């Protein structure tokens, strides 16, 4: 309660009014979908998960089929050598193999692989084994410990620690519990500023987990204070405020503001409503920054 009162006092220093209307939220979803190619894989994964149970992917019969797709990918990707066209073809075929499980075994693994790859096109470009291991480990965690307070370094442990990838899969599987987060947003908020390069790997992950919990705490305050009671439907999917705020933050930190402004102008939305949405993006970021500062000041 003391922290909450402190946040409200700091937030009250800002005179600019923050009002997030349903129309503004819908506009933000539309802007994000038109300017970010990551939007489509996210929506596809969510649509699939609304119809299927993610636990089905953990069944032995299905897991064996996933391993079979992966084994074929391993063999063929090795034969590609440095041929990038060959690698792209092999990955595309492997994802098609994984998607085939969606109709026969009620498993959304193919769409989840596409979603996770879309958020890191370089590191996970061809490493499907890492991507699938992240997804299966997160599914297993949620099945037995579906609570943010249960997060521990083991959930993030792979060949090296995978923090952001795990968070993204946690969100898409349970969008009302785990907020989305990526490195540009974390950096813009100085979310991991208390982590030193000299910290041991496990200590770094522990600090990131605590920072992520603070991030969620502050988002929950913003949602309660500024967002409508219900979540607008976008392209048939109910979008949780965690995802909406992620899109507002994307707008606030985007380096290509001109593309967004041109898009608003072409949509005839660079009016009072469009301008208010842009202001809201920066105001939400300011409110979030000040909430996070309450933990350290």
């Amino acid at each position: 309660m003391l922290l909450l009162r402190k946040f409200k006092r700091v937030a009250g220093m800002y005179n600019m009014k923050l009002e997030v209307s349903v129309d503004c939220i819908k506009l933000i979803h539309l802007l994000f979908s038109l300017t970010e190619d990551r939007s489509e894989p996210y929506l596809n994964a969510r649509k699939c998960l609304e119809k299927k149970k993610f636990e089905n992917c953990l069944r032995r019969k299905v897991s064996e089929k996933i391993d079979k797709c992966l084994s074929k990918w391993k063999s063929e990707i090795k034969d590609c050598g440095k041929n990038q066209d060959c690698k792209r073809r092999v990955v595309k075929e492997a994802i098609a193999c994984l998607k085939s499980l969606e109709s026969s075994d009620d498993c959304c693994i193919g769409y989840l692989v596409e979603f996770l790859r879309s958020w890191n096109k370089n590191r996970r470009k061809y490493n499907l084994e890492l991507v699938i291991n992240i997804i299966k480990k997160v599914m297993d965690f949620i099945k037995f410990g579906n609570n943010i307070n249960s997060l521990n370094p083991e959930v993030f442990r792979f060949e090296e620690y995978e923090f952001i990838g795990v968070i993204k899969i946690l969100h898409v599987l349970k969008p009302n519990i785990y907020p989305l987060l990526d490195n540009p947003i974390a950096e813009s908020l100085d979310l991991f500023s208390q982590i030193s390069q000299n910290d041991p790997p496990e200590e770094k992950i522990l600090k990131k987990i605590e920072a992520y919990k603070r991030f969620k705490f502050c988002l929950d305050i913003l949602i309660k204070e500024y967002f409508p009671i219900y979540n607008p439907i976008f392209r048939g999917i109910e979008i949780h405020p965690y995802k909406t705020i992620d899109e507002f933050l994307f707008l606030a930190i985007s380096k290509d503001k001109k593309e967004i402004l041109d898009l608003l102008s072409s949509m005839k939305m660079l009016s009072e409503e469009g301008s208010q949405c842009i202001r809201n993006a920066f105001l939400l970021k300011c409110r979030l920054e000040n909430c996070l500062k309450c933990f350290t000041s």
Side-chain angles (χ1 to χ4, degrees):
M1 290 300 296
L2 180 62
L3 187 63
L4 182 59
R5 288 198 297 271
K6 189 176 182 182
F7 165 68
K8 288 183 176 180
R9 186 171 67 251
V10 174
M13 294 169 61
Y14 285 81
N15 295 321
M16 294 183 72
K17 193 173 183 181
L18 173 58
E19 288 183 339
V20 185
S21 68
V22 173
D23 286 341
C24 180
I25 291 173
K26 289 179 177 178
L27 177 57
I28 286 295
H29 292 330
L30 183 59
L31 278 174
F32 189 81
S33 69
L34 292 173
T35 57
E36 271 296 306
D37 57 7
R38 298 175 294 177
S39 180
E40 195 70 23
Y42 175 83
L43 292 170
N44 289 340
R46 286 287 315 282
K47 283 177 184 176
C48 186
L49 287 163
E50 285 195 352
K51 300 173 185 175
K52 319 291 180 184
K53 293 182 178 179
F54 71 82
E55 294 95 333
N56 291 337
C57 296
L58 299 174
R59 295 203 312 259
R60 172 180 254 176
K61 181 185 76 170
V62 184
S63 190
E64 286 174 354
K65 291 181 181 180
I66 292 171
D67 291 342
K68 190 174 180 180
C69 293
L70 193 58
S71 178
K72 187 173 184 290
W73 161 80
K74 277 184 180 179
S75 173
E76 294 185 359
I77 203 83
K78 188 176 180 180
D79 292 339
C80 286
K82 295 183 179 180
N83 188 324
Q84 300 299 309
D85 289 336
C86 177
K87 286 183 176 181
R88 280 191 285 270
R89 176 185 59 77
V90 169
V91 168
K92 188 175 180 180
E93 289 174 357
I95 292 175
C97 177
L98 293 167
K99 280 185 176 180
S100 70
L101 304 179
E102 186 262 331
S103 56
S104 61
D105 293 296
D106 290 344
C107 173
C108 295
I109 191 79
Y111 291 100
L112 290 169
V113 167
E114 274 194 332
F115 161 71
L116 190 53
R117 286 183 74 250
S118 73
W119 288 80
N120 192 329
K121 294 178 181 177
N122 294 320
R123 181 135 193 273
R124 306 188 190 98
K125 196 168 187 177
Y126 302 124
N127 193 349
L128 291 189
E129 185 172 25
L130 172 62
V131 172
I132 290 172
N133 285 342
I134 291 171
I135 294 167
K136 290 175 86 170
K137 182 177 261 192
V138 172
M139 285 178 175
D140 196 55
F141 164 74
I142 288 179
K143 188 176 178 181
F144 295 104
N146 186 15
N147 189 303
I148 193 167
N149 293 320
S150 303
L151 284 177
N152 60 75
E154 190 55 38
V155 184
F156 302 90
R157 195 192 306 275
F158 296 89
E159 292 176 6
E160 57 182 278
Y161 284 103
E162 274 279 344
F163 188 79
I164 295 298
V166 168
I167 293 299
K168 291 187 186 306
I169 293 298
L170 281 168
H171 169 79
V172 82
L173 293 178
K174 294 290 180 181
N176 60 328
I177 297 176
Y178 300 99
L180 259 178
L181 182 64
D182 59 21
N183 284 316
I185 288 175
E187 289 169 9
S188 73
L189 297 171
D190 286 331
L191 193 62
F192 302 140
S193 59
Q194 296 180 347
I195 298 172
S196 166
Q197 287 187 341
N198 297 324
D199 288 338
E202 185 148 334
E203 188 176 341
K204 284 182 181 178
I205 286 295
L206 284 169
K207 288 182 177 180
K208 283 188 175 184
I209 291 171
E210 290 307 308
Y212 180 66
K213 289 178 181 178
R214 295 194 293 270
F215 178 67
K216 175 182 165 69
F217 175 86
C218 289
L219 289 183
D220 288 342
I221 292 176
L222 291 177
I223 289 167
K224 186 176 179 180
E225 290 283 329
Y226 302 116
F227 279 75
I229 294 172
Y230 75 99
N231 306 329
I233 303 296
F234 181 71
R235 291 174 58 181
I237 298 296
E238 186 176 297
I239 306 295
H240 191 274
Y242 285 149
K243 179 66 167 68
T244 301
I245 294 178
D246 176 79
E247 294 176 12
F248 272 111
L249 292 173
F250 161 78
L251 179 60
I253 69 172
S254 175
K255 294 178 181 178
D256 197 354
K257 299 289 193 305
K258 186 178 185 303
E259 180 188 1
I260 294 168
L261 292 171
D262 287 347
L263 188 59
L264 280 168
S265 181
S266 67
M267 294 164 58
K268 303 189 185 310
M269 292 300 294
L270 197 57
S271 55
E272 183 176 345
E273 185 179 351
S275 300
Q276 181 62 44
C277 281
I278 293 174
R279 285 197 297 272
N280 282 340
F282 288 99
L283 287 171
L284 277 168
K285 184 173 181 287
C286 286
R287 300 294 198 272
L288 185 53
E289 285 173 330
N290 278 283
C291 177
L292 291 168
K293 285 177 184 176
C294 291
F295 285 93
T296 55
S297 60

